[in-house]
Amino acid sequence: MTFRGTFDLTLDAKNRLTVPTRYRASFAEGIVLAAGLEDCVAIWRPEDYDAWTAAALEGHSPLSPEFRKLKRHFTANSHPTELDGAGRVMVPRFLLDSGKLTKDVSVVGAGECLEIWDRTGWAAYNGEVLENVSDIAAGLQSSAG
């Protein structure tokens, strides 16, 4: 499953997000909400989150302080949950704070997961990326060669 698109949504008074209809079936087995590496909250399928965190830690010594810090970040800043009957997920306060989320959000397809961004923060971030996408692509091309 590849998650694509941008959806402008609003958190309700109980900090619940209505997951876009086209993606609800993907989360039938559960959800992991996790602090993003940028100012956002990621919505993962549990098996995909486990695979992503394992890949990030692969090849590093579990005895190193950096490994333990990153593993702790992945586990402490994530929250297993499920969609309710209306296709909503409640975002816990610690993740709202971590992602700097307000009531108005953008849900963004990020390939292997969805991301919840504060709508203003997303507009600024995406605008900067769009302005520099040619340079970003060229930089990736030169580092791969």
Side-chain angles (χ1 to χ4, degrees), residues 119-131:
R119 196 175 303 166
T120 303
W122 170 250
Y125 175 86
N126 195 42
E128 183 179 322
V129 170
L130 288 172
E131 285 180 20

Side-chain angles (χ1 to χ4, degrees), residues 70-106:
L70 192 55
K71 183 177 181 181
R72 221 173 267 123
H73 169 78
F74 291 149
T75 55
N77 294 292
S78 62
H79 177 73
T81 189
E82 296 178 353
L83 292 177
D84 68 12
R88 299 173 301 194
V89 62
M90 194 278 294
V91 182
R93 172 59 50 196
F94 78 96
L95 288 173
L96 291 171
D97 294 343
S98 170
K100 300 180 181 173
L101 302 180
T102 60
K103 182 178 177 180
D104 295 321
V105 298
S106 292

Side-chain angles (χ1 to χ4, degrees), residues 1 10 27-28 36 38-39 42 47 49 51 53 57 62 70 73-74 86-87 98 111 121 126 131 136 141 144:
M1 164 61 69
T10 303
F27 298 110
E38 289 84 16
D39 290 336
E47 64 273 14
Y49 185 67
T53 58
L57 295 167
L70 192 55
H73 169 78
F74 291 149
S98 170
N126 195 42
E131 285 180 20
I136 294 167
Q141 182 63 33

Side-chain angles (χ1 to χ4, degrees), residues 9 17-24 27 31 43 83 86-89 114:
L9 302 169
L17 173 78
T18 301
V19 172
T21 305
R22 72 175 63 171
Y23 293 124
R24 290 180 194 168
F27 298 110
I31 289 178
I43 306 172
L83 292 177
R88 299 173 301 194
V89 62
L114 292 170

Side-chain angles (χ1 to χ4, degrees), residues 33-48:
L33 296 173
L37 298 178
E38 289 84 16
D39 290 336
C40 64
V41 174
I43 306 172
W44 291 90
R45 296 183 317 163
E47 64 273 14
D48 293 339

